[in-house]
């Protein structure tokens, strides 16, 4: 299973359900080129995320930090942090991804597992993310377990949920035991994270309208220049470059799922004119919206 | 930690608390000679039990079946089944024992782990117990994990509960995947189990009084001869031999913890005369009650 276009709610929190209620672990192989924009857009969710790159090189950004992970490397991303993934070089780069709701690890309410390990880890401001490199033995072991969970989940043999749960506990224990890390720019959960989350929320809620930097700054309760600086630090691009991609991505959904005209879609997605929409689309996807829709429907 | 004298409630259910509420896993090394009677008397509890013999040979009886386990072998005993352990040969035989409340494995209420694995296993009439032999690779692996949990629990390193939980899931998965077993006399949870439990309850509640076979049969709602036959199948001894051991065991508690006279203790434990009590005590423990108390208090 691959979520090719990650739906986000108004707070930019991913609204895909990860796994089932009874077994809240989603396992998938994410090939970045299958995303509309060719990468996984900035988002966050309550689930803990464990990734292992299986093809190419992927740049993961979590909060304000980035790391380049080659095939065989991976990363743990804690609950609630903004993150994105882009291919570096080969656009078909991809990774195995386990999204695990913390309740899978908490056990029964009030358990030692919940009280002494899971809740402290969730609220630890230093434990943002932890890259995992194949050259370090304990990290190689964690990466191997991530791949094993993926393989087991494909077979769905009786008992696989028990074994997957066992492996997740082992992975989680290994990460906690080697925390805090020295080799990653972990930073305190900061006001900057809140500001970046608010900017994203505003863009997601209002991309169909005309948006000014003054409006964004007012919503984020921060100066315009600080908003630009913080947003760039988190996403690696400017607010308006990000907004343009967000609008294009939304327009692809409308092209796919509605019979609205190209002009209507451009307007609904906040482009100031049809010609500007078509030009932006061509720059991003190397074809016009009309060509895209025709090809998709043929 | 060793529970040398297993306290049981009126239903002959062990009333020792296993582990803590927050982490319901008790881990101990049971040396049979340290029990008052030199063995672990018939009892049951809600906890799942995983044992690995570390010294000598132990005969485990679960419900109506028995198996002899040598050093390096072990056994899984499901929740709710009557069981006992006796040394064979060397009286210092001993085993590592993990008592695990099912809620440790259930996860959150309604989880797949609970609904699809733990609850079905608890109510599976065929899954009474599973001996584990060191010569079979998967069973050797389970036995190794039992010993590892014991070792980790001794160190109590940060994270040991996470790793112990992971190993218990692996052990549980292995046992379920290899179930049903062919090499153990598993039998349907039967009316006989209920009858044996009722007989034990009656003996535990009334050992201080004169007890007749007619009373026991009336309480168990079964014929006298069937009561004798079933009880023998479950415990390997007659009702009255068992009752004598139960009375002697209780008398040791009173010798240790009260200042009652030998005569009073004999009477309170249901012996028909002081001389019969003293003679029975000498046969069992090779000394008189008076000598025992004097030595214990010196």
């Amino acid at each position: 299973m691959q979520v090719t276009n990650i739906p986000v709610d108004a707070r930019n929190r991913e609204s895909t359900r990860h796994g089932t209620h009874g077994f809240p672990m989603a396992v998938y192989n994410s090939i970045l080129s299958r995303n509309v924009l060719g990468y996984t857009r900035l988002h966050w969710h309550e689930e803990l995320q464990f990734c292992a790159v299986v093809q190419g090189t992927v740049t993961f950004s979590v909060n304000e930090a980035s790391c380049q992970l080659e095939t065989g490397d991976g990363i743990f991303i804690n609950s609630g942090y903004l993150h994105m993934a882009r291919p570096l070089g080969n656009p078909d780069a991809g990774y195995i991804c386990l999204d695990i709701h913390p309740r899978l690890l908490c056990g029964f309410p009030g358990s030692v597992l919940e009280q002494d390990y899971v809740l402290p880890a969730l609220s630890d401001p230093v434990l943002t993310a932890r890259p995992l490199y194949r050259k370090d033995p304990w990290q190689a072991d964690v990466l191997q377990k991530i791949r094993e969970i993926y393989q087991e989940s494909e077979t769905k043999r009786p008992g696989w949920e028990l074994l997957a749960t066992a492996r997740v506990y082992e992975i989680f224990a290994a990460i906690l035991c080697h925390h805090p890390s020295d080799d990653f720019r972990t930073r305190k959960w900061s006001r900057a994270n809140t500001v970046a989350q608010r900017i994203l929320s505003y863009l997601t809620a209002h991309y169909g309208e005309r948006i000014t930097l003054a409006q964004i700054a007012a919503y984020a309760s921060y100066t315009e220049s600080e908003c630009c600086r913080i947003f760039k630090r988190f996403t690696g691009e400017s607010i308006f470059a990000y907004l343009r991609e967000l609008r294009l991505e939304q327009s692809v959904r409308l092209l796919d799922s509605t019979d609205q005209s190209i002009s209507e879609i451009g307007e609904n997605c906040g482009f100031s004119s049809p010609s500007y929409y078509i030009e932006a689309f061509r720059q991003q996807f190397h074809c016009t919206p009309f060509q895209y829709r025709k090809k998709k429907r043929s």
Side-chain angles (χ1 to χ4, degrees), chain A residues 6-18 41-47 79-83 101 197 200-201 204 242:
Chain A
I6 297 176
V8 288
D9 66 16
R11 290 171 65 205
N12 232 60
R13 183 173 54 181
E14 187 177 337
S15 54
T16 312
R17 175 180 262 196
H18 295 275
R41 216 154 50 68
L42 199 66
H43 67 289
W44 66 281
H45 42 69
E46 284 176 47
E47 285 78 8
S79 171
Y81 289 93
L82 289 161
H83 57 280
H101 196 280
Q197 281 194 342
L200 278 173
S201 299
T204 307
Y242 182 92

Side-chain angles (χ1 to χ4, degrees), chain A residues 184-197:
Chain A
F184 193 62
R185 284 171 51 227
T186 50
R187 297 200 189 179
K188 294 223 170 199
W189 174 275
S190 62
R191 183 159 168 77
N193 184 74
T194 312
V195 171
Q197 281 194 342

Side-chain angles (χ1 to χ4, degrees), chain A residues 5-285:
Chain A
N5 233 342
I6 297 176
V8 288
D9 66 16
R11 290 171 65 205
N12 232 60
R13 183 173 54 181
E14 187 177 337
S15 54
T16 312
R17 175 180 262 196
H18 295 275
T20 60
H21 177 77
F23 192 65
M25 175 192 292
V27 178
Y28 46 90
N29 188 351
S30 173
I31 308 294
L32 288 168
S33 60
R34 292 194 198 148
N35 283 292
V36 170
L37 293 172
Y39 67 94
T40 303
R41 216 154 50 68
L42 199 66
H43 67 289
W44 66 281
H45 42 69
E46 284 176 47
E47 285 78 8
L48 304 168
Q49 185 166 326
F50 301 87
C51 300
V53 178
V54 290
Q55 199 169 296
T57 301
V58 181
T59 302
F60 278 88
S61 303
V62 183
N63 263 13
E64 309 164 71
S66 292
C67 59
Q68 288 173 15
L69 301 175
E70 298 173 7
T71 304
D73 297 335
I75 191 167
F76 159 70
I77 301 168
N78 204 349
S79 171
Y81 289 93
L82 289 161
H83 57 280
M84 62 192 294
R86 286 175 184 278
L88 189 74
N90 178 6
D92 285 334
Y95 53 91
I96 285 169
C97 189
L98 316 179
D99 283 339
I100 295 166
H101 196 280
R103 76 171 178 278
L104 185 69
L105 292 172
C106 281
F108 58 91
S111 73
V112 163
L113 302 176
E114 176 190 69
Q115 297 293 318
D116 290 5
Y117 296 104
V118 180
L119 296 183
L122 294 183
S123 62
D124 182 345
V126 182
L127 188 59
T128 315
R130 168 88 210 201
L132 302 163
Y133 297 109
R134 65 195 186 282
K135 283 170 188 164
D136 184 295
W138 78 262
Q139 294 172 45
D141 187 53
V142 165
L143 290 157
Q144 177 59 21
K145 289 196 170 81
I146 293 172
R147 291 186 291 263
E148 283 171 6
I149 291 172
Y150 177 74
Q151 285 154 14
E152 288 279 351
S153 78
E154 292 282 289
T155 68
K156 295 231 187 311
R157 279 189 299 196
W160 80 270
E161 296 102 330
L162 294 171
L163 291 174
T165 304
R167 292 203 175 95
V168 175
Y169 273 113
E170 287 172 334
I171 290 171
F172 190 61
I175 288 169
L176 291 191
C177 289
H178 293 87
H179 167 69
S181 72
D182 297 317
D183 58 350
F184 193 62
R185 284 171 51 227
T186 50
R187 297 200 189 179
K188 294 223 170 199
W189 174 275
S190 62
R191 183 159 168 77
N193 184 74
T194 312
V195 171
Q197 281 194 342
R198 284 184 73 82
I199 295 171
L200 278 173
S201 299
Y202 191 84
L203 299 181
T204 307
H206 298 281
Y207 67 85
E209 308 156 24
R210 186 167 172 271
I211 294 179
T212 67
L213 190 52
Q215 288 168 331
I216 293 168
Y219 184 77
S221 309
Y222 237 57
T223 66
E224 292 182 15
S225 63
E226 277 295 286
C227 282
C228 291
R229 196 180 59 73
I230 288 169
F231 195 85
K232 182 86 190 246
R233 239 166 58 197
F234 273 74
T235 69
E237 58 189 352
S238 77
I239 292 174
F240 288 96
Y242 182 92
L243 178 59
R244 201 185 65 137
E245 290 189 347
L246 176 63
R247 285 171 164 158
L248 287 169
E249 194 184 42
Q250 299 299 327
S251 82
V252 169
R253 284 194 207 174
L254 296 179
L255 288 167
D256 286 349
S257 62
T258 73
D259 288 318
Q260 290 176 20
S261 72
I262 306 297
S263 302
E264 282 172 323
I265 288 174
E267 193 182 340
N268 287 336
C269 292
F271 290 96
S272 52
S273 73
S275 59
Y276 176 54
Y277 168 47
I278 292 164
E279 184 50 33
F281 197 96
R282 193 205 302 274
Q283 275 183 22
Q284 185 76 40
F285 300 117

